[in-house]
Amino acid sequence: MRPLAYLVCPMNDAVEWKRLNGLADYAVTLSEMEARAEAIRTGTAHEAVWLLEHPPLYTAGTSARECDLMNPFGFPVFDAGRGGQYTYHGPGQRVVYVMIDLKRRSLDVRQFVSALEDWVIDTLASFNVKAERRDGRVGVWVDRTRPGGPVREDKIAALGIRLRRWVSFHGLSLNIEPDLSHFTGITPCGISDPRYGVTSLVDLGLPVTLDDVDAALKPAFEARFGPVMTV
């Protein structure tokens, strides 16, 4: 893994850290995120991290397959334009949109995705959750295999990014206490193998809140990407 110091922007500009209250409209947020990414590219805005929740909905990435969308709940479905396949967003899930200038930080796409995964892994470690990445399966996973039992791994965080002229947008979603039944309306990230499911911090038996997770996300981010300024 690349040393952490290389991830920090050489200009030492703080990243804007913003938490949005309530349930954010997806289409409006996507439009605002794209505009912010363009402003970052032109040097008229700071890099930014937005923390929010969405109402229940599904988003389709550029590799989404129609057969992976069942949607018995009738939730809205949005074309996200990010990489990846179908994913779910809803209350109890911390969605984090990350707008970073990879060119200024001398990062390639793989390094950036690894840094995001490591950020989530570090955050979960503060709750004594051992989370890991898996080759061929983007995201962050928890091994739930019981001694002598079959292999069982559950995804606790999903990643999906897009780059436009080397500025990232979209980001990740970390399951804290969402309604896990809502994931049955899709084949999450196109993975249908019964050995692999979806979990959350509360599902793991941890009485963790959004505030708790936000408090852990910030220092873990700063350790990898540099200082933030809260707005």
Side-chain angles (χ1 to χ4, degrees):
M1 185 185 71
R2 195 170 188 178
L4 303 190
Y6 286 100
L7 303 181
V8 178
C9 180
M11 295 180 67
N12 294 319
D13 288 339
V15 177
E16 180 183 289
W17 186 271
K18 184 175 182 180
R19 173 171 167 167
L20 288 76
N21 295 319
L23 299 179
D25 180 276
Y26 185 81
V28 171
T29 304
L30 179 60
S31 176
E32 292 177 348
M33 181 168 47
E34 290 180 339
R36 181 56 177 264
E38 176 60 18
I40 293 168
R41 185 191 70 79
T42 60
T44 57
H46 287 277
E47 296 173 313
V49 173
W50 295 349
L51 299 93
L52 52 96
E53 289 178 281
H54 286 304
L57 57 90
Y58 298 120
T59 66
T62 54
S63 301
R65 302 175 300 179
E66 187 176 349
C67 63
D68 288 331
L69 177 67
M70 291 73 75
N71 196 8
F73 308 99
F75 293 151
V77 181
F78 294 90
D79 183 358
R82 54 160 174 77
Q85 302 187 43
Y86 282 106
T87 194
Y88 166 76
H89 293 317
Q93 182 188 71
R94 175 52 83 212
V95 175
V96 186
Y97 291 135
V98 185
M99 289 150 278
I100 293 292
D101 188 335
L102 273 63
K103 188 174 182 180
R104 289 174 64 194
R105 293 171 180 265
S106 300
L107 288 171
D108 63 30
V109 177
R110 181 170 295 184
Q111 290 166 340
F112 179 58
V113 171
S114 292
L116 292 178
E117 291 173 334
D118 287 333
W119 172 29
V120 175
I121 290 169
D122 293 346
T123 299
L124 292 171
S126 67
F127 300 105
N128 296 316
V129 173
K130 182 181 179 182
E132 301 169 299
R133 62 166 57 89
R134 288 289 182 263
D135 291 340
R137 287 186 271 133
V138 176
V140 177
W141 298 79
V142 177
D143 188 345
R144 305 188 76 181
T145 305
R146 295 182 178 180
V151 172
R152 174 72 184 188
E153 294 182 349
D154 288 346
K155 177 179 281 191
I156 194 167
L159 275 75
I161 65 167
R162 183 175 180 181
L163 296 182
R164 184 172 291 163
R165 297 183 180 180
W166 291 103
V167 177
S168 71
F169 52 110
H170 294 284
L172 61 93
S173 55
L174 175 57
N175 296 331
I176 302 168
E177 193 179 6
D179 185 335
L180 294 180
S181 72
H182 291 171
F183 285 92
T184 64
I186 56 172
T187 303
C189 301
I191 298 174
S192 58
D193 191 318
R195 295 175 298 174
Y196 309 132
V198 180
T199 191
S200 67
L201 285 167
V202 170
D203 183 53
L204 293 173
L206 299 170
V208 178
T209 68
L210 282 171
D211 289 341
D212 296 330
V213 170
D214 290 349
L217 281 167
K218 184 184 288 186
F221 179 89
E222 289 182 312
R224 293 191 174 273
F225 293 94
V228 303
M229 55 180 177
T230 301
V231 298

